[in-house]
Amino acid sequence: MMSSTTETIPTYDAIVIGAGFAGIYLVHKLRDELGLHVKAFERGAGVGGTWYWNRYPGARCDFESDYYSYSFNDEIQQEWDWTERYAPQPEILRYANYVADKLDVRRDIELNTTVERAVWDEASHTWTVSCDTGVTARARYLISGTGILSVPSTPKFEGMDTFKGKIYHTGDWPHEGVDFTGLRVGVIGTGSSAIQSIPLIAEEAAQLTVFQRTATFTVPAANRPVTENERRATKRSYAQLRAQARRSQTGVLIEQPLGPYGEVDERIVRGELERRWRGSGFGTTSVLSDNLRSIEANNYTSQFVRDKIHEIVDDPEVAKLLEPHDYPIGTKRLALDTNYYATYNRENVKLVSVRKTPIERFSQSGIVVGDTEYEFDAIVLATGFDAATGALDRIRFEGVDGRTLTDAWAEGAKSYLGLGVAGFPNFFTVTGPGCPAILTNVIASIEHHVEWIADYIEHMRAEGITRTEVTAEAQEAWVAHVAELAAMTLYPTAASWYMGANIPGKPRVFLAYLGGLHNYRDRCDKIAEDGYPGFVHASDGAPLASEQVAVGA
Ligand code: N01
């Protein structure tokens, strides 16, 4: 058991885990606006989180950069110029670094440091955190900003270690880049990462073979450079854009539906789908308002995309294989692409379905499926992430009575609002399971959580509260509410990472609140206004030095 009274342990008001978009903002908010003594620990050698690790060819955001960026500081949004509608990964990483410098947060972030364990101490109402570097630190508040998609999932294929070529994972890409020129390359997976990288790998490789288990719905990104005039117009209207985004379902303005299936003239629906296909991104699949609730509506939209595949792909057999049939469109993450389906018209690209005959094993020279051995120089695993809970599961959180978070979540992640967990006092999770983040522009969700947590901490300090804990009742009620909303939709019918279904043995729980960011924000605001029902407070922890000042002030 770690001692909480050892004075040699550096003590902070707050410890932040991670220095991605959440961590950068947390350090700034808590340090510069609340005046707290803050320390962040980050596993990577740089800031940026997802955008630090996911450097595969074609990686870019798929919410417009005008929205997929911080809104809390007008100087930042006025100074920064996005060059494309959907910025590429190097530009987003430059942006994260620019913000970190501008806000001068680096001095409070310890890089190359993985938090391994965090232990709650009931006597002092503090957490003691220990890291792989041997660093130990103590704080009143512990806040995770560990990301939703930060732990790559690598299936254990037999014989993987015997393969003589190189194996890469899209979620942990070499920083020096990979030159596929003239190589025979295999890609496993056809999710968003594969869909972004396949067209670019195909341009370099001598041969590219894609192993597809589940065909994925994707719609054109219609990415393009941003003109100077557009940039100026956006900067002039940022205040309004951001306000609208905060009041929206997904933290971004998406074109409105025309109405439910059957209630709008079919020719109008079809025409609108055609129009949106040419440039509306996610809006393409929201022409029908009941697309995610009615299977008839969904079939209509799904079939529209399947027809498009046949229009684009020359070989009808390949087009047939690319047709998604295993889930309703939108119930697994929709992808946005640039030339994905057209890539299968290239002479050097081959599609292999591993739906009926799975990958049997890796050999020294490649991949074996049934009776066929495919030979490669390099294999790319675009096999996704242990989403939402993966990064938290890898840290040993020991809460009240030493109970671990992994134990608490053994039958599925449970959280109140995706912000706190019963049994883990003074621990806040930015974009934790059960909040809307997964289905939103995640930066909008991150900003909301950081601001809500900061307000709560300010309240606690003003009131002399040293301990807060989610009640089991509030947590159960929230979990039931999240599940109830999911059950009213088609989402649970898909074996998606939203359900934890991509990780063998992971309990199936729908990991997102479906009520929309706007309603969720209202709910969180009301909870704050009402004095934080659903949390119990105590004030008998010895005050930290900075708290004596705060309460006395
Ligand atoms: O991962 P995925 P991803 N044998 O889980 C297949 C975000 N993102 O990294 O569907 C064969 O979607 C698996 O097959 P199946 C975005 O939220 C955003 O692509 O399980 N195949 C699937 O095809 C996204 O949803 C952007 O049958 C195997 C693929 O691997 C999330 O990250 C860009 C297999 C994994 O797809 C994850 O996307 C990229 C096996 N044993 C990612 N195991 C933006 O545009 C797995 N697969 C911002």
Side-chain angles (χ1 to χ4, degrees), residues 51 54 56 60-63 149 155 157 169-170 188-194 196 211-214 216 332-333 336 354-355 359 382-385 438 495 497-498 502:
W51 302 102
N54 285 264
Y56 60 82
R60 61 177 71 248
C61 56
D62 57 7
F63 288 101
L149 297 156
F157 295 106
H169 194 295
T170 47
I188 301 178
T190 51
S192 301
S193 304
Q196 288 187 328
F211 295 93
Q212 171 188 274
R213 188 165 67 183
T214 306
T216 303
K332 283 177 97 167
R333 175 66 148 70
L336 260 56
V354 289
R355 182 93 199 146
I359 292 172
T383 46
F385 300 88
I438 284 173
W497 66 256
Y498 298 158
N502 64 325

Side-chain angles (χ1 to χ4, degrees), residues 193-204:
S193 304
I195 283 170
Q196 288 187 328
S197 56
I198 282 167
L200 294 174
I201 297 175
E203 285 175 13
E204 269 184 24

